[in-house]
Amino acid sequence: MSNELPCFDVLPQHIAVIMDGNGRWAKQRGLERTEGHKAGAENFRRIVDYASRLGIKYMTFYAFSTENWKRPEFEVKTIMNLIRKYLKEMQLREAENEASGYNIHFIGNREGLDDDIVKLFNTVEKRSSKHNKTYVNIAVNYGGREEITHSVRVLCEKVKNGELISSDITENTVASYLYTAGQPDPDLIIRPSGEQRLSNFLIWQAAYSEFWYSDVLWPDFNEQELNRALEDYAHRHRRFGGI
Ligand code: FPP
């Protein structure tokens, strides 16, 4: 691919990606499903780098949902190990001052995750917090309904303690206790692999998002595929309920 970057009339500020199709990608090649996740994790790196070079400021990737615990233990372990590997790489890059410029943030429920992963989340978030070029959210043990429930629970506590009165609670108050607090909602949600559903991903934040579906499986969703999605997005007419 040439080094020249395409130019789009309008670029989304925030893209969110459901990295689907890893299992089918592996099956098509006669490989174990876990090989598909390995290829998916490589592609995650490639797409983050490319989208960042294009100037996309916020990205959110769905790595592991609250429902994914139903998968075989070995598959869950492999995905967690891939996340660990990436975290260690990021930790090393920060330590060696080879920063990518990514401000990395983990969204999801940290309870139930291994202690070492949670520790790595905290270290990487802290060390990368000085960057403001590209914000990368990685959703791990994430579910949109769990996220909204979490926000409601925090607000109930505040009402109970007298810090808030219920009539003060607005949409902004609810949003301010979501895992994505302070970030813009996704403009474009991308789901490869032919499925056309949200699967409990950013269900609050997706209220006015545009969607892009593609039949390409995630490990094959390359720069050209992202360009196609962005080109299409640039010609959408977003009305946000207006005319
Ligand atoms: C969905 O495809 C994919 C997942 C549940 C896991 C995605 C995780 C990764 C790509 C690794 C994340 C690593 C980092 C570093 C962020 P599927 O298994 O449901 O595919 P299928 O529908 O073809 O079976």
Side-chain angles (χ1 to χ4, degrees):
M1 198 181 149
S2 100
N3 281 334
E4 211 162 293
L5 291 171
C7 201
F8 300 97
D9 293 344
V10 184
L11 204 59
Q13 192 185 10
H14 185 171
I15 61 168
V17 183
I18 301 176
M19 302 187 282
D20 196 14
N22 298 339
R24 275 163 285 171
W25 182 91
K27 198 172 169 206
Q28 281 175 3
R29 287 160 180 75
L31 301 169
E32 294 293 327
R33 294 178 52 80
T34 45
E35 293 302 312
H37 295 313
K38 287 181 196 162
E42 279 310 309
N43 200 43
F44 157 81
R45 288 176 178 78
R46 172 159 92 168
I47 292 298
V48 170
D49 282 344
Y50 182 63
S52 170
R53 285 200 291 130
L54 286 178
I56 295 175
K57 191 111 190 129
Y58 293 87
M59 318 170 194
T60 302
F61 291 83
Y62 208 0
F64 193 86
S65 76
T66 44
E67 289 73 36
N68 286 152
W69 295 107
K70 294 179 204 148
R71 295 187 176 217
E73 199 183 331
F74 180 64
E75 184 166 340
V76 170
K77 228 179 196 168
T78 302
I79 297 172
M80 291 300 165
N81 281 338
L82 288 167
I83 294 168
R84 263 191 192 93
K85 186 168 171 244
Y86 180 71
L87 289 164
K88 287 182 182 161
E89 265 169 45
M90 286 297 126
Q91 199 183 21
L92 200 70
R93 270 167 99 166
E94 289 295 336
E96 291 178 353
N97 250 342
E98 280 181 22
S100 48
Y102 304 151
N103 185 318
I104 299 174
H105 180 57
F106 295 90
I107 62 171
N109 186 350
R110 297 183 187 199
E111 279 168 36
L113 294 174
D114 288 347
D115 289 349
D116 72 300
I117 290 219
V118 176
K119 253 190 206 152
L120 280 165
F121 282 1
N122 293 333
T123 314
V124 169
E125 281 183 339
K126 196 165 163 221
R127 294 204 181 144
S128 71
S129 66
K130 58 181 180 286
H131 305 303
N132 58 12
K133 180 172 180 270
T134 307
Y135 292 81
V136 181
N137 294 322
I138 305 176
V140 183
N141 197 20
Y142 174 88
R145 289 183 176 177
E146 191 280 331
E147 179 182 39
I148 296 168
T149 309
H150 164 82
S151 171
V152 170
R153 222 180 263 145
V154 174
L155 292 173
C156 285
E157 279 300 310
K158 291 195 178 289
V159 171
K160 199 172 104 191
N161 298 340
E163 286 173 62
L164 258 184
I165 53 170
S166 58
S167 56
D168 283 343
I169 297 174
T170 61
E171 290 184 11
N172 284 342
T173 332
V174 176
S176 67
Y177 291 98
L178 298 178
Y179 300 126
T180 52
Q183 301 191 4
D185 288 340
D187 301 296
L188 178 65
I189 297 183
I190 296 173
R191 181 162 195 162
S193 96
E195 312 290 350
Q196 302 194 358
R197 53 178 173 262
L198 210 42
S199 300
N200 206 10
F201 186 45
L202 303 177
I203 53 176
W204 173 283
Q205 298 87 336
Y208 284 101
S209 303
E210 299 290 323
F211 289 89
W212 171 262
Y213 299 108
S214 148
D215 286 335
V216 173
L217 304 174
W218 171 249
D220 291 331
F221 191 94
N222 59 16
E223 292 88 344
Q224 285 81 4
E225 292 300 323
L226 182 62
N227 290 345
R228 285 180 60 214
L230 295 174
E231 185 56 36
D232 191 81
Y233 174 83
H235 296 102
R236 304 247 181 128
H237 179 45
R238 301 184 74 192
R239 296 196 300 273
F240 298 97
I243 51 172

